[in-house]
Amino acid sequence: MKISVVCFSDELLIANSLLSQISVKQTENSIELWVLGGIDDTQKVKKLNIQKITEIIPSEQAHLKEPVCCADAVYKCFCRHPVDVIVLPSGLRGDDLAARLSVLISGGCMLQAIEFSCDESGASVRKPVYSGNLHATFRFETLPLVLSLIPSPNEEKEQSNDTPELARFEAKTEPPAWLTNIEYESTENGDLLKSSELVIAAGRGVGKAESFRKLEELAEVMGGVLGGTRPAVYDGKIPRERMIGSSAAVLSPKCSIVFGASGAAPFLAGVEKSKLLIAVNRDPNALIFDNCDVGVIADCNEFAEALLQKYRNG
Amino acid sequence: MNILCCFKIVSDLDLVMERDWSSADVSGVDLSYVKKVISCFDEAGIETALRIKDSAEKQGETVHITAITLGNGKYEAFFKNLFAVGVERILQGTLSTERLFSPYMLSGILSELAGNCEYDLVITGMQSADGANGLTPYFLAERQGIPCINNVSELQYTDGKLKVTCDMGNGVRKATVHTPALYAIGNSVNPYLRMATLKQKLAVSKLSAETIEISETSYSGGRNAELCSLSHEKKMRHCVFVEGKTCGDKAAKLLEAYPEVVKR
Ligand SMILES: Cc1cc2nc3c(=O)[nH]c(=O)nc-3n(C[C@H](O)[C@H](O)[C@H](O)COP(=O)(O)OP(=O)(O)OC[C@H]3O[C@@H](n4cnc5c(N)ncnc54)[C@H](O)[C@@H]3O)c2cc1C
């Protein structure tokens, strides 16, 4: 069984998480890493738990931003070096690329998987369904298969001395002719949320816009970042790039404090990888209390104010 | 301009009781008692189509919206509401059984239904709430031979052109699209379907959806996966409650007991 893990050069170390989630029950197999875009940091390469890396370089650096070009570049690499399974990191980019690739190679596909294993007779994939309330296991008898795996929190490998074998594949890519006036805008806000060690998550229960502003202030004094549930975002209380959950940002901070959210499965998927999960809700039966480490039964805005006071008073 | 929308009626999963998830097995889970809704991203898709219609008509262009759905339920109330807000034609493809986890098959059936309609653009949701495959838009676009643009947050019609905004994971991309394409709506800036007025509802009271029987067997096999198990996961955390008379007491106790909250 030949497996290729594909990731973007700007999130190289995610590969380690994916590699640790793949279980291969076969005598003869090989796993390699394909990196979209050039690797500029050789120190990072040494931290990867892999022997063979291929850099996939599209015709222009700008093409890395274009999903169609990325899919085309990986597809061309696949045609030259066919593999049985392609694994990508789940997320908006990875899911999109996985789906496009599966169409190009006419292969099976599964997005947002949490486990993958393969044996002589095929591949098994586990993934959340019914908005994350259930887990399903699927079996693919025919390959190739493309899947996106939700990365588990990254265990960075200690720097090793053996440098992996590095190859380069240049792919001729062209931007789609049917798109013009293309503008890319980066959203720093979302990145801040993903990299923060403390996340304050605000749900619908927070209520008024001024209460959300209070939580923003709390996040600031605590050295964290404010994100929100879907209703908080859809109601315009939190910027869209700060949305947390299965269809938005999946986070793994040291600590998350959730204010006024019921704990619906799609939202929980975004915070359940937090090391410490604290929930504040006025309803003692709220679902979130079945899924957190520390619970505070209180009006979330009064509790936020009390926390803020403690910080203000040092 | 002709717009084709695909939508699915699903159970409102936020309302399902914990014990019902626990009883799930490979044969499925009983959600018959749960209130039905239009799957969230599909709802945003229909609203997107209606907004295009509003702005195109202001620019002197006529827009016809057709909506297609699959499923055997009696969805008249949903259909009436869609007619009332401006959808002109609805096709319902009936299935012998629910095909939750077979996006390749579903895309084949949707493609067959789409064959009954003229369109300049197709709008779908990016993922359904229940099956959550997230693949049907790509496979449908492939079958129709048109590009798929996913994670669309906004689609606007100005000066005779469609301008699309997509979430890209690390930013947004805005572009003008020059071809029939499929737009899969994600976290839209207009997520909710507008309300129909009583007058609008009365005006469409005689309209009904066309039902089309589909032979699913021609779309089985291929890239579809086999479902082997369906289970509810045990919770991994055990909650310890912070006690205290006032919020101030609780805040103090929290900071004392969990210094990791404080230190950063
Ligand atoms: C396909 C799909 C994808 C989805 N993706 C996401 C996603 O990525 N992210 C996401 O968040 N949701 C997502 N959802 C929506 C999700 O199912 C829930 O509807 C949503 O998470 C609920 O948000 P909430 O907890 O803020 O609101 P609610 O469920 O309304 O909960 C509000 C909570 O606040 C509490 N409360 C009210 N007032 C107070 C107060 N004064 N003090 C303390 N507590 C109070 C209430 O007790 C209640 O528990 C998705 C749904 C679907 C179908």
Side-chain angles (χ1 to χ4, degrees):
Chain A
M1 176 87 56
K2 277 183 155 185
I3 301 172
S4 167
V5 171
V6 180
C7 62
F8 290 85
S9 53
D10 59 8
E11 47 178 31
L12 199 55
L13 293 181
I14 237 174
N16 281 348
S17 313
L18 300 184
L19 289 163
S20 69
Q21 286 166 272
I22 298 173
S23 147
V24 190
K25 295 179 197 123
Q26 253 188 346
T27 39
E28 274 187 44
N29 59 69
S30 69
I31 305 187
E32 53 185 273
L33 176 64
W34 294 353
V35 180
L36 255 169
I39 302 172
D40 46 12
D41 184 349
T42 45
Q43 292 311 311
K44 272 194 188 158
V45 171
K46 287 187 186 168
K47 289 187 182 173
L48 292 167
N49 303 329
I50 193 97
Q51 296 308 312
K52 189 169 176 221
I53 302 178
T54 303
E55 290 174 287
I56 302 178
I57 313 289
S59 298
E60 287 176 32
Q61 183 72 10
H63 292 180
L64 286 170
K65 288 186 175 169
E66 181 46 57
V68 174
C69 296
C70 290
D72 190 33
V74 180
Y75 172 61
K76 284 179 173 142
C77 187
F78 168 85
C79 292
R80 183 73 68 81
H81 309 284
V83 292
D84 300 301
V85 183
I86 298 180
V87 180
L88 292 114
S90 181
L92 289 188
R93 267 199 305 182
D95 292 347
D96 184 62
L97 182 52
R100 289 181 193 283
L101 267 174
S102 84
V103 167
L104 289 172
I105 69 177
S106 301
C109 189
M110 191 66 63
L111 305 183
Q112 299 162 0
I114 46 173
E115 262 171 45
F116 161 65
S117 64
C118 50
D119 53 34
E120 308 294 341
S121 62
S124 293
V125 184
R126 213 165 128 75
K127 72 162 277 181
V129 294
Y130 287 101
S131 284
N133 288 289
L134 297 178
H135 283 181
T137 307
F138 296 95
R139 181 104 191 128
F140 286 89
E141 302 292 345
T142 49
L143 300 173
L145 167 66
V146 187
L147 54 107
S148 71
L149 263 180
I150 299 173
S152 53
N154 207 348
E155 304 287 332
E156 271 189 31
K157 186 188 161 190
E158 284 300 302
Q159 191 143 330
S160 78
N161 292 326
D162 35 303
T163 311
E165 180 192 329
L166 207 59
R168 194 177 160 91
F169 179 83
E170 292 193 4
K172 237 183 168 198
T173 48
E174 271 180 44
W178 40 271
L179 280 185
T180 57
N181 304 325
I182 304 176
E183 288 168 40
Y184 298 99
E185 289 168 18
S186 60
T187 44
E188 208 184 13
N189 254 339
D191 290 347
L192 278 178
L193 186 64
K194 282 186 198 146
S195 58
S196 179
E197 289 190 350
L198 172 76
V199 169
I200 305 283
R204 186 174 4 221
V206 172
K208 293 189 193 135
E210 62 193 66
S211 308
F212 281 87
R213 281 196 291 275
K214 174 111 335 140
L215 284 183
E216 180 86 69
E217 201 183 330
L218 180 67
E220 204 169 297
V221 296
M222 293 180 81
V225 174
L226 179 68
T229 65
R230 185 157 89 179
V233 171
Y234 279 12
D235 293 346
K237 308 280 178 37
I238 301 252
R240 284 164 24 82
E241 61 274 20
R242 294 278 187 97
M243 182 169 146
I244 300 170
S246 57
S247 48
V250 176
L251 311 170
S252 43
K254 287 205 172 130
C255 175
S256 293
I257 314 181
V258 180
F259 289 83
S262 56
F267 165 70
L268 266 183
V271 288
E272 70 190 358
K273 293 195 167 92
S274 311
K275 277 214 173 101
L276 178 68
L277 184 52
I278 302 172
V280 187
N281 198 303
R282 68 176 175 196
D283 174 6
N285 297 316
L287 188 63
I288 188 113
F289 291 136
D290 292 343
N291 293 291
C292 67
D293 304 301
V294 183
V296 181
I297 302 169
D299 179 286
C300 58
N301 298 317
E302 280 175 28
F303 186 73
E305 182 60 46
L307 264 184
L308 205 50
Q309 287 303 333
K310 299 271 171 244
Y311 272 87
R312 282 193 189 126
N313 302 338
Chain B
M1 185 176 13
N2 294 306
I3 307 179
L4 180 64
C5 291
C6 303
F7 71 101
K8 185 174 180 184
I9 309 286
V10 296
S11 301
D12 183 345
L13 301 181
D14 283 350
L15 304 180
V16 179
M17 321 254 230
E18 197 62 7
R19 62 165 188 270
D20 290 319
W21 292 126
S22 314
S23 67
D25 62 25
V26 74
S27 62
V29 53
D30 180 16
L31 301 177
S32 51
Y33 68 94
V34 185
K35 187 185 91 169
K36 299 278 185 276
V37 289
I38 297 180
S39 192
C40 51
F41 300 119
D42 301 350
E43 174 181 350
I46 297 170
E47 180 59 28
T48 303
L50 293 168
R51 282 172 185 259
I52 293 173
K53 184 179 163 103
D54 292 344
S55 45
E57 289 184 346
K58 272 189 204 138
Q59 295 164 54
E61 194 172 334
T62 317
V63 174
H64 301 287
I65 303 176
T66 301
I68 57 179
T69 189
L70 301 179
N72 298 341
K74 299 253 169 281
Y75 301 138
E76 271 70 27
F78 287 99
F79 297 160
K80 284 264 145 45
N81 193 50
L82 291 179
F83 283 131
V85 289
V87 174
E88 283 167 52
R89 190 179 170 210
I90 299 176
L91 306 183
Q92 180 181 16
T94 57
L95 303 176
S96 63
T97 165
E98 203 175 23
R99 305 285 183 176
L100 267 189
F101 305 114
S102 307
Y104 198 61
M105 176 188 270
L106 289 173
S107 68
I109 301 167
L110 284 171
S111 190
E112 191 177 319
L113 283 181
N116 292 294
C117 317
E118 276 186 22
Y119 66 81
D120 300 292
L121 66 148
V122 181
I123 299 181
T124 70
M126 69 165 186
Q127 186 171 42
S128 74
D130 44 11
N133 305 293
L135 291 167
T136 311
Y138 295 92
F139 293 161
L140 177 57
E142 178 194 8
R143 288 181 188 272
Q144 290 287 307
I146 54 176
C148 177
I149 303 173
N150 204 349
N151 299 315
V152 173
S153 57
E154 199 168 15
L155 188 56
Q156 287 171 311
Y157 188 73
T158 25
D159 306 329
K161 289 190 183 111
L162 279 167
K163 295 190 174 157
V164 67
T165 307
C166 305
D167 288 328
M168 310 292 283
N170 54 351
V172 298
R173 181 193 64 192
K174 295 182 175 178
T176 306
V177 189
H178 298 273
T179 184
L182 183 149
Y183 300 85
I185 308 293
N187 286 312
S188 170
V189 295
N190 299 301
Y192 303 121
L193 184 64
R194 64 194 59 188
M195 305 276 277
T197 61
L198 186 60
K199 195 173 158 201
Q200 286 172 318
K201 283 188 184 164
L202 287 173
V204 298
S205 60
K206 293 207 171 67
L207 293 181
S208 57
E210 301 158 43
T211 313
I212 298 184
E213 244 176 74
I214 306 268
S215 154
E216 296 136 66
T217 43
S218 42
Y219 302 109
S220 57
R223 295 186 222 164
N224 299 305
E226 187 199 343
L227 175 70
C228 303
S229 73
L230 202 56
S231 59
H232 186 47
E233 290 307 293
K234 289 233 157 42
K235 306 287 178 265
M236 303 303 282
R237 297 181 194 257
H238 177 74
C239 177
V240 176
F241 285 98
V242 177
E243 306 291 343
K245 270 199 178 137
T246 64
C247 279
D249 294 346
K250 290 177 189 170
K253 281 195 180 151
L254 179 77
L255 296 178
E256 196 183 299
Y258 299 94
E260 55 267 59
V261 180
V262 191
K263 281 188 206 142
R264 55 201 63 263

